[in-house]
């Protein structure tokens, strides 16, 4: 029967949930806004027809933004201040640091081989095409820390006076070692032109209270021990609506839950929905869930993060052959393009499961260029998204989940040694060891 396709393409459930999420305001991990978003998502799962909808709480190290600035150390006059000039990176420590300003350009590993002791270093959010892997913000931050830098400035590569955010710190030591701020591309260019070699002060004011986050969960299908996990993250950085990252993903899995409720008799194994909290500060909610999970009982994870902006779904399958085959089968069945990737993506909420060898997708939207675009900036707003894309993607993902939930579906796990070897081969291990993300 195909009635569910028409119903999904005309449904407002997912889009209305997205509207609710972006209108919450601040959904920072551990905030009242994140709690409201978790409650909205729990209720949306229940309204979609899923059972046992609940919030599973856990404690986190909170982080609350204050003011931040980059100032001339001699005159104490600001050279970058205010929401469109300079913002603190979450989990930056509170305090001030002064040093010679050094623009490291892209901030690739060899750039940190210079004498940077006591300096204020600036790096771009981009990675050059000459480097065969994306170099994450946190790797650049910890390379600066290891090189003895006094402070870290993260400059956006996307135009539009948009300072980027993104957390620093590690799971074992959530608050970073040196003050860290983000500045826009335009501010970064001005700093590089005017202030190279000058003494600058980076100032960050923040609070770090203990806070409570949680995961909104629900389920559909038979009450089997073996199960699939369909996930997203409900938190967002405090400086924007978090429409793409990741209101869109959470709205999509709500729509998938509604569609699957109408096809529940086709599910041969249980499907667990999880809208994780505290993703943006270190994948905390999904890590809590993955540590509690029976590895052998999780058939696969379908994690949706930062989709809808691009019309074409991207399914990174982490070289699980059965997941690649399922994605291609669904694409062929609907004669609808789907992009796939086999390299490991050690970010977002699939990763705590995949690193244990559990098959998992990272589901996003296909976009041009490297980086997040408007994600992690003030410009991650609802007007960039289209309801058509959400509905189309929900249809494809619903079919994907039904295929994965078939009784005879075989999705072999990967040995964790194989996962570690792949990370080494792909050049990702060095950065992960530096940032404290290496658990093998």
């Amino acid at each position: 029967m195909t009635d569910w396709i028409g119903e999904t393409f005309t449904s407002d459930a997912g889009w209305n949930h997205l509207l609710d999420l972006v209108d919450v305001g601040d959904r920072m991990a551990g905030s009242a806004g994140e709690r409201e978003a978790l409650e909205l998502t729990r209720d949306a799962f229940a309204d979609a027809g899923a059972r046992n909808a609940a919030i599973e709480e856990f404690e986190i190290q909170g982080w609350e933004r204050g003011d931040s600035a980059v100032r001339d150390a001699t005159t104490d006059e600001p050279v970058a201040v205010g929401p469109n000039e300079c913002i603190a990176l979450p989990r930056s420590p509170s305090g001030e640091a002064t040093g010679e300003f050094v623009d490291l350009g892209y901030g690739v590993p060899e750039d940190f081989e210079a004498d940077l002791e006591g300096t204020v270093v600036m790096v771009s959010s981009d990675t050059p095409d000459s480097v065969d892997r994306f170099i994450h913000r946190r790797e650049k931050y910890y390379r600066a820390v290891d090189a003895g830098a006094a402070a870290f400035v993260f400059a956006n590569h996307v135009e539009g006076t948009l300072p980027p955010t993104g957390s620093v710190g590690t799971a074992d030591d959530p608050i970073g070692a040196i003050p860290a701020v983000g500045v826009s591309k335009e501010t970064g260019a001005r700093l590089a032109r005017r202030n190279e070699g000058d003494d600058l002060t980076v100032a960050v004011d923040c609070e770090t209270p203990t806070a409570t986050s949680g995961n909104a969960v629900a389920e559909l299908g038979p009450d089997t021990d073996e199960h699939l996990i369909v996930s997203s993250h409900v938190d967002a950085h405090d400086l924007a609506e978090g429409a793409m990252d990741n209101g869109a993903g959470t709205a999509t899995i709500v729509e998938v839950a509604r569609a699957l409720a109408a096809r529940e008799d086709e599910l041969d194994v249980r499907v667990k929905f999880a809208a994780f909290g505290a993703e943006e500060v270190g994948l905390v909610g999904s890590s809590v869930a993955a540590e509690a999970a029976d590895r052998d009982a999780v058939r696969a994870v379908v994690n949706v993060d930062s989709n809808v902006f691009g019309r074409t779904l991207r399914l990174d399958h982490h070289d699980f052959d059965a997941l690649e085959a399922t994605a291609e089968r669904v694409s062929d069945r609907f004669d609808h393009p789907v992009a796939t990737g086999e390299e490991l993506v050690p970010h977002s909420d699939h990763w705590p499961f995949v690193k244990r060898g559990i098959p998992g997708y990272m589901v996003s939207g296909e976009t041009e260029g490297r980086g997040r675009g408007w994600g992690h900036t003030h410009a991650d707003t609802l007007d960039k998204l289209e309801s058509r894309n959400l509905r189309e993607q929900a249809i494809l993902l619903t079919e994907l989940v039904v295929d994965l939930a078939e009784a005879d579906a075989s999705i072999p796990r990967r040995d964790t040694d194989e996962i570690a070897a792949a990370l080494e081969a792909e050049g990702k291990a060095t950065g992960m060891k530096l940032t404290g993300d290496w658990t093998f």
Side-chain angles (χ1 to χ4, degrees):
M1 294 180 63
T2 58
D3 290 349
W4 70 273
I5 296 175
E7 291 171 359
T8 303
F9 201 75
T10 56
S11 170
D12 289 327
W15 189 257
N16 284 342
H17 188 59
L18 177 57
L19 295 175
D20 288 342
L21 291 177
V22 300
D23 286 343
V24 165
D26 178 0
R27 306 200 308 274
M28 191 71 181
S31 70
E34 187 200 40
R35 178 68 190 201
E36 182 181 351
L38 287 166
E39 292 173 353
L40 286 168
T41 304
R42 174 201 61 199
D43 295 346
F45 285 150
D47 291 343
R51 65 182 183 274
N52 297 332
I55 296 173
E56 299 173 346
E57 295 182 347
F58 53 87
E59 284 195 349
I60 63 167
Q61 176 65 69
W63 189 88
E64 297 176 357
R65 182 184 305 281
D67 295 328
S68 59
V70 180
R71 302 193 300 265
D72 185 303
T74 302
T75 66
D76 206 36
E77 291 296 316
V79 292
V81 67
N84 291 320
E85 295 279 351
C86 174
I87 57 173
L89 299 186
R91 289 185 164 178
S92 167
S94 191
E96 295 188 1
T98 299
E100 179 187 351
F101 178 71
V102 179
D103 175 20
L104 292 185
Y106 287 110
V108 297
E110 52 266 32
D111 293 332
F112 293 92
E113 294 173 3
D115 181 8
L116 300 174
E117 186 71 32
T119 60
V120 172
V121 300
M122 183 173 74
V123 301
S124 170
S125 62
D126 201 5
T127 302
D129 291 338
S130 59
V131 177
D132 60 3
R133 68 182 179 91
F134 179 74
I135 302 176
H136 195 270
R137 169 195 68 257
R138 291 178 63 245
E139 178 179 343
K140 296 179 183 184
Y141 176 80
Y142 276 102
R143 287 192 182 279
V145 171
D146 282 359
F152 180 79
V153 179
F154 189 54
N156 205 348
H157 70 283
V158 178
E159 297 175 351
T161 62
L162 299 170
T165 188
S167 69
V168 295
T170 68
D172 293 333
D173 188 11
I175 304 303
I178 60 176
V181 297
V183 299
S184 69
K185 179 179 181 179
E186 294 81 0
T187 299
R190 186 170 67 248
L191 288 171
R193 177 168 58 86
R194 293 183 179 178
N195 299 106
E196 182 78 20
D198 294 345
D199 283 346
L200 297 183
T201 297
V202 174
V204 171
D205 179 31
C206 63
E207 299 292 336
T208 54
T210 299
T212 301
S213 183
N215 299 328
V217 298
E219 56 189 24
L220 283 167
D223 191 18
T224 57
D225 288 337
E226 187 178 25
H227 59 276
L228 298 168
I229 295 174
V230 178
S231 65
S232 67
H233 70 86
V234 77
D235 63 310
H237 284 289
D238 58 333
L239 51 81
E241 293 178 356
M244 178 185 72
D245 186 10
N246 185 38
T250 301
T252 299
I253 70 168
V254 165
E255 193 63 73
V256 169
R258 191 208 59 78
L260 284 176
R263 304 181 66 186
E264 195 165 14
D265 59 349
E266 299 179 57
L267 302 175
D268 295 325
V269 300
R270 183 163 46 124
V271 177
K272 296 181 68 173
F273 293 90
F276 295 119
E279 188 268 357
E280 296 288 10
V281 292
L283 315 183
V284 183
S286 54
S287 295
V288 168
E291 289 167 7
D294 179 350
R295 178 179 182 270
D296 295 329
V298 182
R299 179 180 284 192
V301 176
V302 181
N303 179 57
V304 189
D305 190 346
S306 301
N307 59 320
V308 178
F309 175 66
R311 187 175 185 183
T312 299
L313 271 182
R314 178 175 179 84
L315 298 173
D316 287 288
H317 53 76
H318 305 97
D319 207 23
F320 288 96
D321 292 340
L323 296 186
E324 180 182 22
T326 303
E328 291 174 350
R329 201 161 53 242
V330 169
S331 176
D332 291 343
R333 189 176 304 158
F334 284 88
D335 191 24
H336 198 291
V338 169
T340 59
E342 67 180 16
E343 286 200 4
L344 295 170
V345 182
H347 312 291
S348 195
D349 289 315
H350 58 281
W351 184 246
F353 298 90
V354 170
K355 72 181 183 181
R356 297 180 62 193
I358 296 170
Y361 292 106
M362 164 60 177
V363 181
S364 58
E366 183 82 336
T367 55
E368 296 181 1
R370 289 186 171 184
R372 294 182 173 86
W374 282 310
H376 282 205
T377 75
H378 296 82
D380 182 4
T381 52
L382 183 69
D383 56 285
K384 313 293 194 310
L385 308 183
E386 296 184 29
S387 58
R388 173 196 63 181
N389 294 355
L390 190 154
R391 291 168 177 139
E392 287 182 357
Q393 292 174 5
I395 290 169
L396 295 172
L397 291 173
T398 298
E399 188 75 0
L400 184 85
V401 172
V402 170
D403 271 22
L404 295 173
E406 289 181 352
D408 59 354
S410 176
I411 313 174
R413 285 160 174 72
R414 295 179 68 184
D415 186 82
T416 53
D417 289 342
E418 183 184 353
I419 297 288
L423 289 168
E424 296 276 9
E426 293 171 12
K428 298 181 172 77
T430 301
M432 293 177 70
K433 292 173 182 177
L434 185 68
T435 59
D437 295 322
W438 188 259
T439 59
F440 299 95

